[in-house]
Amino acid sequence: VEWFWFDGESWNNFNDADAAILETAFLGSPDKPFTTGAMSFSVGSSTTFDFVNGTQKNTSTGTTRAIRRAAWPASWEYLDDYGMYIAFYDSDNAHIEKMWRSLPQNHSCVTTELSWNKGFDSKYTFAFSKDPQTREDIGTQKNEDSGTVRKLRRVVPTPPSKADTSLGGWGIANADAQQSLADAAAAAAVVPSTTPIASPEIIPAAAAKTSDDASVTAESSSVSSTKPTVAATATAISASVFDPPSTWVPQTKPYELFDVDPKSQEYHFLKTLKNKAKIHSVTRIQNLPLWKFYALTRHKVALRNGGDPTEMKLFHGARARENMDAIMQFGFDMRVARDGSAGIGIYFAVHASYSNGGYVLQNPDKSKEIFICRVTVGSCVQGKHGLKRPPPLKAGSKELHDSVHNNKDVMFIVFDNFQAYPEYLIKYTNLTGW
């Protein structure tokens, strides 16, 4: 945490001793003015600090200056059209943070130096203030050409608790030990062969298609091409329930990555991207232990829905490499989910263009990476802020829906880690934007 005072042109750091006095007072009573004569610059006078309004006032001369408490590291986020706060990319975040640090509260500045603005040179006005209730640093971003205004907020990550510091694999306790057990359990099932692995009873049939605006979508219909009867699925679970997709190739380890041949039929659903993006690689994720958890969950959902799990191919992005790797190795993790427009769940986009708009990993060379996932939607209804699980099937019912959506043409949300499987990782570069 740093403390700053504004000299009329720029922000300056309080020295360490003065900053320590301010931090102690702030932590004790952040809502009450604090007067002291112990500051290094308080020679024969005292100073009153107002943390709520962000000011310091010399009690003798009446001179008032702006002050600021800045916790770091921090990230800036914008509110998108669907009520979700999305973090800016690193280069934009650094630029916004620099502007914020250079301006006093309730001031604004104009810039064109933003990653999404290259080639357009639109002027964006950033205005910064502080929320009077939460004392959160907030602001607005306005495109002066279109007039579009978005809300901003500055977020400081919560430090991990002492109990969390030993967790590996994106918060999974004893991840190495768990993976070893999973590897041992799956090893017997991983038998190299020269023949394709058998396809499951529920065969994926949905493929991405191109809409009129050339964005990539996933069909909203079920991917079940043959629906088993309730009578058939109500019996003991068949081993075929756990069979991986027919596209998988023999593997020697429980978790392996394989490049997809651009000339293969498997690759065909990506060809529609080529008008808007250059595809560098498509990687198939063959994680047998993770697949078995997903397959069992899909089977369970199918049993509740007349044999139809309503499996879809949807898009998901993660903005950090370590998160991408964790998803591929350990799957999705509800414990790090944040509240959005449809609840505290794991979000999947129908259109690749939505994920591409700020949710995906962006590499230093400007290439991006996105997942195509199998998602078991099952019984689905409209979601809302704050949901931690799907709502009941009907009033008073203990049975719940399987998922929620925020407009079925936009996104679907699940609340179970194993209701989704990251099937492919796509690396691409935008040509004209989606």
Side-chain angles (χ1 to χ4, degrees):
V1 174
E2 295 178 286
W3 283 90
F4 300 89
W5 59 278
F6 194 69
D7 64 7
E9 294 184 0
S10 61
W11 290 97
N12 303 274
N13 285 84
F14 283 92
N15 67 38
D16 292 345
D18 292 342
I21 293 173
L22 290 175
E23 184 66 10
T24 299
F26 175 82
L27 295 177
S29 299
D31 299 321
K32 297 180 180 180
F34 163 69
T35 301
T36 181
M39 306 299 281
S40 62
F41 51 83
S42 298
V43 180
S45 65
S46 59
T47 305
T48 298
F49 294 89
D50 185 336
F51 300 127
V52 175
N53 295 310
T55 60
Q56 70 173 45
K57 182 178 180 179
N58 186 302
T59 57
S60 299
T61 65
T63 301
T64 301
R65 297 185 185 278
I67 62 171
R68 169 182 283 168
R69 179 180 185 267
W72 58 276
S75 63
W76 283 92
E77 300 178 343
Y78 66 90
L79 188 66
D80 74 1
D81 296 334
Y82 300 97
M84 296 180 64
Y85 272 100
I86 310 302
F88 286 93
Y89 283 117
D90 291 346
S91 59
D92 298 321
N93 183 75
H95 185 49
I96 295 169
E97 178 75 2
K98 183 178 180 180
M99 290 189 292
W100 176 77
R101 285 176 176 264
S102 67
L103 293 171
Q105 291 173 11
N106 303 315
H107 282 65
S108 62
C109 63
V110 178
T111 185
T112 60
E113 299 175 12
L114 300 161
S115 65
W116 69 86
N117 196 36
K118 292 180 180 179
F120 297 98
D121 294 326
S122 296
K123 292 183 178 180
Y124 284 83
T125 298
F126 286 79
F128 304 105
S129 59
K130 188 175 286 290
D131 188 305
Q133 296 181 327
T134 65
R135 287 189 295 277
E136 188 178 48
D137 289 298
I138 58 175
T140 57
Q141 163 198 302
K142 181 180 180 181
N143 183 317
E144 296 296 345
D145 291 341
S146 66
T148 300
V149 177
R150 295 191 183 279
K151 293 182 179 180
L152 309 177
R153 69 180 184 184
R154 185 177 185 268
V155 179
V156 179
T158 303
S161 65
K162 186 174 182 180
D164 291 334
T165 57
S166 63
L167 302 185
W170 198 13
I172 299 178
N174 301 316
D176 293 338
Q178 288 192 29
Q179 188 61 34
S180 296
L181 290 173
D183 291 350
V190 185
V191 181
S193 69
T194 57
T195 58
I197 300 173
S199 60
E201 291 179 343
I202 299 174
I203 302 172
K209 61 181 181 179
T210 306
S211 64
D212 292 338
D213 65 355
S215 63
V216 177
T217 66
E219 292 187 22
S220 59
S221 61
S222 166
V223 302
S224 174
S225 61
T226 56
K227 298 182 180 180
T229 64
V230 175
T233 55
T235 60
I237 298 176
S238 167
S240 63
V241 166
F242 301 99
D243 286 345
S246 59
T247 53
W248 283 28
V249 297
Q251 58 192 101
T252 58
K253 294 182 291 185
Y255 166 60
E256 289 190 65
L257 304 177
F258 295 90
D259 292 334
V260 176
D261 184 353
K263 297 179 181 179
S264 66
Q265 184 178 2
E266 182 182 10
Y267 189 90
H268 82 281
F269 66 91
L270 294 165
K271 63 184 179 182
T272 55
L273 289 175
K274 293 182 179 178
N275 292 329
K276 293 292 185 179
K278 178 181 179 180
I279 306 298
H280 300 294
S281 64
V282 178
T283 302
R284 185 193 315 110
I285 303 161
Q286 295 190 190
N287 187 325
L288 192 56
L290 188 61
W291 171 263
K292 290 186 175 182
F293 280 114
Y294 171 73
L296 181 61
T297 302
R298 182 180 64 179
H299 181 71
K300 180 179 66 175
V301 172
L303 289 176
R304 290 202 301 262
N305 292 277
D308 184 3
T310 312
E311 185 182 57
M312 302 175 68
K313 294 287 186 74
L314 301 173
F315 299 92
H316 184 86
R319 296 169 55 88
R321 171 64 61 192
E322 57 268 28
N323 292 350
M324 300 284 281
D325 292 341
I327 289 172
M328 291 191 291
Q329 186 171 1
F330 300 105
F332 296 97
D333 194 338
M334 270 292 298
R335 291 172 295 182
V336 296
R338 295 166 60 182
D339 194 12
S341 56
I344 307 170
I346 307 167
Y347 284 66
F348 298 89
V350 175
H351 299 268
S353 56
Y354 184 88
S355 297
N356 181 69
Y359 299 85
V360 299
L361 176 69
Q362 180 169 286
N363 296 310
D365 64 359
K366 303 304 180 183
S367 65
K368 298 180 179 181
E369 297 180 37
I370 188 173
F371 287 117
I372 294 180
C373 305
R374 288 176 181 253
V375 182
T376 294
V377 172
S379 175
C380 185
V381 294
Q382 175 67 44
K384 64 180 181 179
H385 277 293
L387 281 180
K388 295 183 179 180
R389 63 180 186 178
L393 286 172
K394 56 184 178 180
S397 174
K398 293 183 179 180
E399 291 188 80
L400 306 178
H401 288 282
D402 301 301
S403 63
V404 299
H405 64 82
N406 186 19
N407 186 337
K408 289 187 176 181
D409 292 327
V410 178
M411 67 179 72
F412 290 83
I413 301 91
V414 299
F415 302 86
D416 183 326
N417 293 341
F418 301 117
Q419 257 181 265
Y421 179 84
E423 189 167 21
Y424 298 101
L425 179 64
I426 316 300
K427 185 176 181 180
Y428 65 96
T429 299
N430 286 123
L431 296 180
T432 58
W434 284 338

